[in-house]
Amino acid sequence: MADEQIVDAPPDWDTLAEEIRCPMCDYNLRGLIEPRCPECGFRFEWPALLDPTRRAHPYVFEHHPERNVRSFIQTLLGGLRPTKFWTSLHPAQPSRPKRLTAYVCVTIALLVMTVFSVFVPLTISDLQSTAQFRRRLQVSAKRYPERLDWAVSRYGSLKNYLDIIAPTGINQPMLRRMLDETIGGPQRKLLIVCLIFPIATFAAMMIFQISMSRAKVSPRHVLRCVVYSFDSVVWIGMVSLVYASVTLAGGNMPNPGAALGDAMIIVGPIGGLFFAYRLYVAYRCYLRFDRPFATVLATQVIAFLASLRIATALFMGV
Ligand SMILES: [Zn+2]
């Protein structure tokens, strides 16, 4: 008990030259005894603010540009245990908006890559059959010189002829088919909602916060909560990919796009709930709101309605 009191004891302000500010609202805390900001109401522990060795998080992506890949993976995995993650990250640990933006970009790139990788087996088999077809025509041109003469007289060379009727590599029709199957189905709506949802959540949280006593909380902290909860989309993409691959292997689906759409309709809402849960933990353990559940529930309802409205306007033109 005595030790706890020493740990939580206020600083000796006469000997402390450094300016100590509230990590939430930047209010100057000089002279305070109670570990609670009078401006925004944030409760903290003195050592978290006073100890310089605690200002860098052990692995979070924002703080470790010297090991990008490792810190990205650790942050992504760390988010799977939200309570541990949000109690290890403290608002006094500086937020780096550029690194947060980079984190979002990599997250979206990973989602897109995961979604398109459902086409990998089909693309490989397409490339193999194209190569086989070209070989057959080459053999036939050798066996029947009149066919070779015809190709040369019409297209300049056999290769030119083959390049027109059976182009090698990933070509335009292949890409168009992938886009039509991925972006043309119901998964397009889900993908767009996945991307609009965090933006709508951030906007709803900022509006909601203004209407509450915590209006002074800096947007960078809200952004942090939304960004680290948003990486749920990587897991949504990966689980959807596994689900789609299993249904495709079972022969129940006409094409990879349909299998992916089916998977995302099931996995997407579960991922959405996971996102909301992580946000709730962030509001409880990181921003330390008094009513985190009610706050997150209200913002998620607003974000859901806003995303639905935008998606409807985009797809139905109303
Ligand atoms: Zn404050």
Side-chain angles (χ1 to χ4, degrees), residues 22 25 37 40:
C22 168
C25 70
C37 171
C40 71

Side-chain angles (χ1 to χ4, degrees), residues 38-98:
E39 183 71 4
C40 71
F42 180 65
R43 285 194 173 279
F44 51 86
E45 299 81 35
W46 284 113
L49 265 62
L50 302 171
D51 184 357
T53 61
R54 291 173 65 167
R55 284 183 196 156
H57 189 272
Y59 64 79
V60 86
F61 187 75
E62 271 169 291
H63 291 175
H64 295 283
E66 77 288 358
R67 46 181 163 100
N68 281 321
V69 176
R70 212 168 96 195
S71 68
F72 181 88
I73 295 170
Q74 283 178 307
T75 308
L76 192 65
L77 292 173
L80 290 176
R81 296 168 74 187
T83 308
K84 199 170 176 212
F85 180 80
W86 287 113
T87 42
S88 74
L89 188 62
H90 191 275
Q93 292 169 332
S95 177
R96 310 227 155 84
K98 273 189 191 165

Side-chain angles (χ1 to χ4, degrees), residues 139-170:
V139 169
S140 141
K142 265 187 200 158
R143 194 176 296 165
Y144 305 101
E146 68 276 14
R147 290 184 185 172
L148 179 65
D149 294 342
W150 175 84
V152 172
S153 67
R154 199 130 182 210
Y155 297 94
S157 70
L158 179 64
K159 187 182 175 301
N160 288 351
Y161 172 59
L162 291 177
D163 285 348
I164 287 168
I165 61 156
T168 51
I170 295 183

Side-chain angles (χ1 to χ4, degrees), residues 21-27 29 36-42 216:
R21 293 188 173 270
C22 168
M24 283 293 169
C25 70
D26 278 340
Y27 181 83
L29 301 174
R36 182 180 177 277
C37 171
E39 183 71 4
C40 71
F42 180 65
K216 297 276 164 46

Side-chain angles (χ1 to χ4, degrees), residues 9 23 80 113 136 171 186 191 231:
L80 290 176
M113 272 163 57
R136 271 212 308 276
N171 50 55
L191 268 177
D231 70 20

Side-chain angles (χ1 to χ4, degrees), residues 1-310:
M1 188 70 194
D3 281 353
E4 258 174 49
Q5 276 170 356
I6 291 165
V7 167
D8 280 340
D12 179 359
W13 291 110
D14 293 334
T15 57
L16 197 72
E18 197 189 350
E19 245 183 23
I20 304 294
R21 293 188 173 270
C22 168
M24 283 293 169
C25 70
D26 278 340
Y27 181 83
N28 193 338
L29 301 174
R30 178 158 288 277
L32 276 188
I33 292 172
E34 194 196 351
R36 182 180 177 277
C37 171
E39 183 71 4
C40 71
F42 180 65
R43 285 194 173 279
F44 51 86
E45 299 81 35
W46 284 113
L49 265 62
L50 302 171
D51 184 357
T53 61
R54 291 173 65 167
R55 284 183 196 156
H57 189 272
Y59 64 79
V60 86
F61 187 75
E62 271 169 291
H63 291 175
H64 295 283
E66 77 288 358
R67 46 181 163 100
N68 281 321
V69 176
R70 212 168 96 195
S71 68
F72 181 88
I73 295 170
Q74 283 178 307
T75 308
L76 192 65
L77 292 173
L80 290 176
R81 296 168 74 187
T83 308
K84 199 170 176 212
F85 180 80
W86 287 113
T87 42
S88 74
L89 188 62
H90 191 275
Q93 292 169 332
S95 177
R96 310 227 155 84
K98 273 189 191 165
R99 300 277 303 164
L100 273 181
T101 313
Y103 189 78
V104 172
C105 293
V106 178
T107 304
I108 293 173
L110 270 179
L111 173 69
V112 172
M113 272 163 57
T114 314
V115 164
F116 279 97
S117 62
V118 77
F119 293 94
V120 167
L122 189 69
T123 308
I124 291 173
S125 103
D126 272 5
L127 291 174
Q128 282 170 340
S129 33
T130 306
Q132 235 170 23
F133 180 66
R134 284 173 73 103
R135 270 199 303 276
R136 271 212 308 276
L137 285 189
Q138 279 162 339
V139 169
S140 141
K142 265 187 200 158
R143 194 176 296 165
Y144 305 101
E146 68 276 14
R147 290 184 185 172
L148 179 65
D149 294 342
W150 175 84
V152 172
S153 67
R154 199 130 182 210
Y155 297 94
S157 70
L158 179 64
K159 187 182 175 301
N160 288 351
Y161 172 59
L162 291 177
D163 285 348
I164 287 168
I165 61 156
T168 51
I170 295 183
N171 50 55
Q172 232 182 342
M174 252 184 207
L175 282 175
R176 194 167 304 135
R177 193 192 59 209
M178 283 186 206
L179 282 174
D180 286 349
E181 284 183 15
T182 319
I183 315 289
Q187 57 271 40
R188 172 172 61 166
K189 284 178 204 165
L190 266 163
L191 268 177
I192 300 242
V193 169
C194 267
L195 299 179
I196 296 173
F197 204 77
I199 301 167
T201 299
F202 178 71
M205 283 186 156
M206 291 312 297
I207 295 166
F208 209 72
Q209 201 166 287
I210 290 163
S211 67
M212 292 170 68
S213 57
R214 299 295 296 275
K216 297 276 164 46
V217 171
S218 162
R220 65 178 188 268
H221 293 297
V222 180
L223 185 68
R224 209 178 213 182
C225 294
V226 176
V227 166
Y228 288 137
S229 303
F230 170 73
D231 70 20
S232 315
V233 292
V234 175
W235 302 113
I236 296 178
M238 284 184 190
V239 176
S240 300
L241 176 68
V242 172
Y243 187 102
S245 305
V246 170
T247 49
L248 266 178
N252 303 321
M253 281 292 159
N255 59 54
L260 190 69
D262 200 47
M264 284 185 83
I265 284 166
I266 296 164
V267 180
I270 300 170
L273 285 177
F274 185 46
F275 169 78
Y277 172 69
R278 291 167 77 180
L279 213 52
Y280 154 73
V281 177
Y283 264 57
R284 181 166 59 88
C285 302
Y286 179 81
L287 294 182
R288 303 181 188 184
F289 266 49
D290 295 333
R291 285 180 291 277
F293 185 78
T295 311
V296 170
L297 183 69
T299 55
Q300 291 302 272
V301 170
I302 298 169
F304 179 72
L305 293 174
S307 307
L308 206 64
R309 183 70 192 87
I310 296 168

